[in-house]
Amino acid sequence: MVANCLFCKIAKGEIPVDKLFEDDDLVAFRDIAPQAPLHFLVIPKRHLAGPNGMVGGDEFLIGKIMAAGARLARENGVESFRFVVNEGAEAGQTVFHFHLHVLGGRAMAWPPG
Ligand code: AMP
């Protein structure tokens, strides 16, 4: 738990969210400002700032997050979706606790802006 980390607080249940799934390692919840008909985030419960903060052993955790994101997209009626992970402010990261965006339910443009 990192003090003043919004997603650590969400992981601990201190801030209410529209939760889709939770287990010992991760929480999935709908984004508060959805950018697609389906837009949710999957976060590790343990604080990890972003991909640059990954250390040995985190590969399994991130793989588990991706598998949960895909499964939850399908369970919410979306077979085609986009995963986004922003690393650093220039890439658009605003919350510095790793989160996988899962977006679907509309056509996506490429390249992203
Ligand atoms: P990023 O810009 O990649 O760091 O994404 C942060 C995401 O967190 C944004 O899409 C926000 O809309 C979302 N967000 C911020 N606060 C909350 C919250 N309390 N509940 C759900 N999503 C949130």
Side-chain angles (χ1 to χ4, degrees):
M1 172 98 186
V2 167
N4 296 320
C5 172
L6 175 65
F7 286 179
C8 281
K9 289 179 182 167
I10 287 175
K12 283 199 81 180
E14 292 177 3
I15 293 174
V17 288
D18 187 353
K19 201 178 290 179
L20 297 176
F21 178 75
E22 175 175 16
D23 68 12
D24 287 346
D25 298 319
L26 59 87
V27 188
F29 53 97
R30 291 186 196 277
D31 197 292
I32 205 168
Q35 301 301 312
L38 181 67
H39 183 183
F40 63 93
L41 307 173
V42 191
I43 67 169
K45 286 190 169 175
R46 177 172 59 76
H47 185 82
L48 168 63
N52 282 343
M54 289 174 68
V55 294
D58 285 342
E59 297 91 341
F60 182 80
L61 176 63
I62 300 309
K64 189 174 175 185
I65 284 171
M66 294 185 79
R71 176 178 59 78
L72 291 166
R74 292 194 306 275
E75 287 178 3
N76 283 275
V78 169
E79 294 278 342
S80 178
F81 48 80
R82 180 168 292 178
F83 282 174
V84 174
V85 177
N86 295 321
E87 168 62 60
E90 188 175 22
Q93 188 177 14
T94 59
V95 179
F96 292 86
H97 179 128
F98 186 103
H99 47 285
L100 173 69
H101 292 261
V102 183
L103 301 116
R106 66 166 171 81
M108 302 280 165
W110 191 262

